[in-house]
Amino acid sequence: MVRELHLPGVHKGREVIYSCLSRAFMEMPSESIFKMLEDVLPHVEGAESIVEALRARRAATEEGRRRLDDEALRAYTRIFCLTDSAATSESVYLSPSHLTMQEQAGQVSFIYEHMKFDISGASNEPPDHISHELMFMSYLAKATAGALEKGSTEYAAKNIELQAGFLDRHIMKWAADFAAGVAGFKEAEVFYGPLAGFMVNFLNQDRIYLSE
């Protein structure tokens, strides 16, 4: 009997969820972002409040949707773009100085380079930005699915081990604090707060899954 951990389709699903989360925290809210989440999140456990908000937006009148989109843009700007916004990189949470571009950024850069994960064209954000770390997990999930489809179970197993280790040593050490920081803004109540909370729950579930 094939274990679920060895099914390529499961890792393809993980790839998509990680990619969606990465884009949602990196890019300003847009029709493209909302459509992406509408297509993916209804099929994922724990995303009900976000799905409800997306459906309410879709059901609104044109004027109502413009108003909701303006609110989402203001929320994104307040939560992520101002000097007193939520910190979005691992170094700020885990380094002794609580500044960007500390040892954590160097650690993940080394891992990215080793795994040929290129962020040079993605954005000017630090390598340990939440979106880069989430996209790296998407990248590894895709590689795992491809390896399993080719019958390269040994490479897939190493990739799964790397993902579990990256969660333990990096994302999961600060994701909950990041989510709490996001939820602390009143503008996050409708969308970004629930999205960050969903991310933490998904990470916890995924880490359990990678240990099966």
Side-chain angles (χ1 to χ4, degrees), residues 79-132:
I79 299 165
F80 299 117
C81 300
L82 303 181
T83 55
D84 61 343
S85 292
T88 53
S89 61
E90 182 181 342
S91 293
V92 176
Y93 293 90
L94 301 184
S95 70
S97 61
H98 300 293
L99 298 173
T100 60
M101 295 302 293
Q102 302 302 301
E103 62 178 314
Q104 290 77 16
Q107 290 168 358
V108 298
S109 289
F110 178 82
I111 298 170
Y112 295 167
E113 184 176 355
H114 177 70
M115 295 304 297
K116 297 180 171 57
F117 177 63
D118 184 12
I119 64 169
S120 60
S123 76
N124 60 357
E125 297 291 351
D128 57 344
H129 188 281
I130 186 67
S131 293
H132 290 322

Side-chain angles (χ1 to χ4, degrees), residues 2-204:
V2 178
R3 293 171 58 204
E4 185 177 344
L5 193 60
H6 294 161
L7 295 175
V10 174
H11 294 283
K12 288 179 180 179
R14 295 177 57 246
E15 172 200 349
V16 170
I17 296 170
Y18 274 112
S19 177
C20 284
L21 288 169
S22 172
R23 287 189 59 195
F25 289 123
M26 178 68 79
E27 301 177 27
M28 287 189 172
S30 64
E31 182 64 34
S32 173
I33 292 293
F34 293 134
K35 179 65 167 57
M36 171 192 71
L37 295 172
E38 285 175 7
D39 289 343
V40 173
L41 293 186
H43 310 290
V44 184
E45 183 180 353
E48 291 79 10
S49 61
I50 311 164
V51 171
E52 183 178 345
L54 291 168
R55 286 175 176 164
R57 174 187 176 274
R58 186 62 61 191
T61 63
E62 183 176 350
E63 181 180 351
R65 194 177 303 172
R66 271 200 305 270
R67 177 179 56 80
L68 291 171
D69 289 354
D70 287 344
E71 290 175 359
L73 183 58
R74 284 195 295 272
Y76 182 91
T77 301
R78 181 66 191 91
I79 299 165
F80 299 117
C81 300
L82 303 181
T83 55
D84 61 343
S85 292
T88 53
S89 61
E90 182 181 342
S91 293
V92 176
Y93 293 90
L94 301 184
S95 70
S97 61
H98 300 293
L99 298 173
T100 60
M101 295 302 293
Q102 302 302 301
E103 62 178 314
Q104 290 77 16
Q107 290 168 358
V108 298
S109 289
F110 178 82
I111 298 170
Y112 295 167
E113 184 176 355
H114 177 70
M115 295 304 297
K116 297 180 171 57
F117 177 63
D118 184 12
I119 64 169
S120 60
S123 76
N124 60 357
E125 297 291 351
D128 57 344
H129 188 281
I130 186 67
S131 293
H132 290 322
E133 293 194 357
L134 290 168
M135 190 58 77
F136 182 56
M137 287 295 295
S138 177
Y139 174 82
L140 294 178
K142 180 179 181 179
T144 303
L148 290 171
E149 287 179 332
K150 295 176 182 177
S152 302
T153 54
E154 184 176 347
Y155 179 79
K158 289 180 179 178
N159 228 321
I160 289 169
E161 184 178 353
L162 175 59
Q163 291 172 72
F166 191 78
L167 287 175
D168 289 342
R169 290 187 286 274
H170 293 285
I171 306 181
M172 292 185 69
K173 280 190 172 182
W174 67 286
D177 289 336
F178 165 75
V182 170
F185 291 90
K186 60 181 177 59
E187 293 88 350
E189 182 178 356
V190 174
F191 185 70
Y192 286 104
L195 186 66
F198 164 73
M199 177 196 70
V200 172
N201 289 335
F202 173 73
L203 291 172
N204 289 330

